[in-house]
Amino acid sequence: MTATQSSSEAFEYKPVALNERITSDGSSRWPVEAGRYRLVVARACPWANRSVIVRRLLGLEPALSMGLAGPLHDERSWRFHLDPDNRDPVLGIEYLGEAYRKADPGFDAGITVPAVVEIATGKVVTNGFQQLTLDFSTQWTALHRDGAPDLYPVEHRAEIDEINQAVYEDVNIGVYKCGFTNSQEAYEQAYRALFARLDALSERLATQRFLVGDTITEADIRLWVTLVRFDAVYHGHFKCNRQKLTEMPVLWAYARDLFQTPGFGDTIDFEQIKQHYYGVHTDINPTRVVPLGPDVRNWLTPHGREALGGRPFGDGTPPGPPPEGERVPPIS
């Protein structure tokens, strides 16, 4: 996605530019195929984090390799500066923008993660982050691991979609609306919408362990990737400072519950998250000084949410540990 300022100085997002789909039903020119594609993400990005979590929970690692862009980038796009020789070892590129321009030599829109790249051609197939994880659940089923959970159950899809839309507008991009606007009025409007939505979600989650039904769904994943970054970056960096997550008891317990669930906390690198937001958003943080806090050891404290019941993976099972090359530093 690409951030823009409108004439009213309110923050907006432009839609993604390469919004094709990879399907198993012949509805697109890109078929689901093991080993054909590479998912490019960054640990820092919440939109990319969603795809990492769903890929983990469904066990798609053997079928869909993953490239990791580093937390820092410049006007040339996300860069593979954590890899040897500063290049993705599979795609052989230094900047993700190279794969976008292979798909479209005149590409001049936002170069975003997640992006799925066809390995043989080096071309980006899609950066359609909203549909991508749903397709992982519904189109990639033949490649799911045994025991993969159903993250988008048919009987709950309408409710999941409704919650996802509200969370997207008020929370996922709500924090960005607070952080990037140049207008006091727009900031205050986004701030109030954000915390009104968080209050409503807190009330909902006070009596049920997960957002929809009694299992983890796509709705939980989409909310959680914002919550896990809240105190580290959004509270201060984006002026979302009515309360910290740790001061919202229900949401804090809910977020810790998921953090301690395989497939969630084991995708998070708090240092890369802070390096990205404080090091790249120079309009907001011109010094590029990265804060040392907060202390994140409290993410491992007991949450007590088991008392609400629920079955995190439904009839499925937890995923195994991440592949060796995809592990994040443990909290210490």
Side-chain angles (χ1 to χ4, degrees), residues 23 25 30 42 108-109 120 132 152 165 174 212 229 232 286 293 306 310-311 316:
T23 63
D25 58 9
W30 303 103
D108 60 359
L132 182 62
Y152 196 46
Q165 185 59 36
V212 180
R229 289 163 172 78
E306 305 95 333
R311 303 175 301 144

Side-chain angles (χ1 to χ4, degrees), residues 87-315:
R87 292 184 177 275
D88 179 87
V90 173
L91 301 174
I93 56 176
E94 183 177 4
Y95 289 92
L96 180 56
E98 298 173 50
Y100 276 80
R101 285 184 287 274
K102 282 187 178 179
D104 178 2
F107 188 86
D108 60 359
I111 295 168
T112 61
V113 288
V116 179
V117 181
E118 185 181 38
I119 295 172
T121 63
K123 297 178 179 180
V124 170
V125 173
T126 182
N127 67 340
F129 70 100
Q130 294 283 53
Q131 185 64 41
L132 182 62
T133 50
L134 300 180
D135 284 343
F136 282 172
S137 285
T138 61
Q139 300 294 316
W140 291 66
T141 53
L143 299 173
H144 288 182
R145 66 177 175 88
D146 291 339
D150 186 354
L151 302 175
Y152 196 46
V154 172
E155 66 274 19
H156 291 306
R157 286 183 186 177
E159 187 177 7
I160 292 171
D161 292 345
E162 181 180 5
I163 291 174
N164 284 349
Q165 185 59 36
V167 167
Y168 174 75
E169 290 293 340
D170 295 337
V171 181
N172 296 150
I173 65 168
V175 294
Y176 284 81
K177 292 176 184 177
C178 291
F180 281 112
T181 182
N182 291 327
S183 160
Q184 183 71 32
E185 181 182 2
Y187 162 71
E188 292 183 8
Q189 181 179 356
Y191 176 100
R192 293 189 181 99
L194 166 65
F195 283 101
R197 183 64 60 190
L198 291 178
D199 288 344
L201 291 165
S202 181
E203 183 176 351
R204 182 185 184 94
L205 288 165
T207 56
Q208 60 189 70
R209 191 171 178 185
F210 306 111
L211 282 171
V212 180
D214 67 347
T215 65
I216 293 167
T217 68
E218 179 83 16
D220 297 293
I221 296 166
R222 295 191 181 201
L223 173 61
W224 186 82
V225 294
T226 297
L227 295 181
V228 76
R229 289 163 172 78
F230 201 89
D231 287 5
V233 288
Y234 302 143
H235 177 270
H237 187 56
F238 281 176
K239 307 180 187 70
C240 302
N241 59 357
R242 190 192 77 177
Q243 291 165 290
K244 296 176 182 177
L245 177 65
T246 54
E247 297 166 343
M248 294 181 269
V250 172
L251 291 178
W252 173 225
Y254 166 79
R256 296 203 315 282
D257 185 3
L258 290 175
F259 187 92
Q260 295 169 32
T261 298
F264 285 82
D266 55 25
T267 71
I268 296 298
D269 187 319
F270 284 110
E271 289 306 309
Q272 288 195 32
I273 289 170
K274 292 189 297 182
Q275 287 166 6
H276 171 71
Y277 282 90
Y278 288 99
V280 170
H281 299 156
T282 54
D283 287 350
I284 300 175
N285 186 43
T287 66
R288 298 187 178 181
V289 172
V290 179
L292 293 177
D295 188 340
V296 295
R297 289 175 293 183
N298 54 2
W299 280 95
L300 302 179
T301 59
H303 51 75
R305 297 281 293 178
E306 305 95 333
L308 293 173
R311 303 175 301 144
F313 297 100
D315 295 330

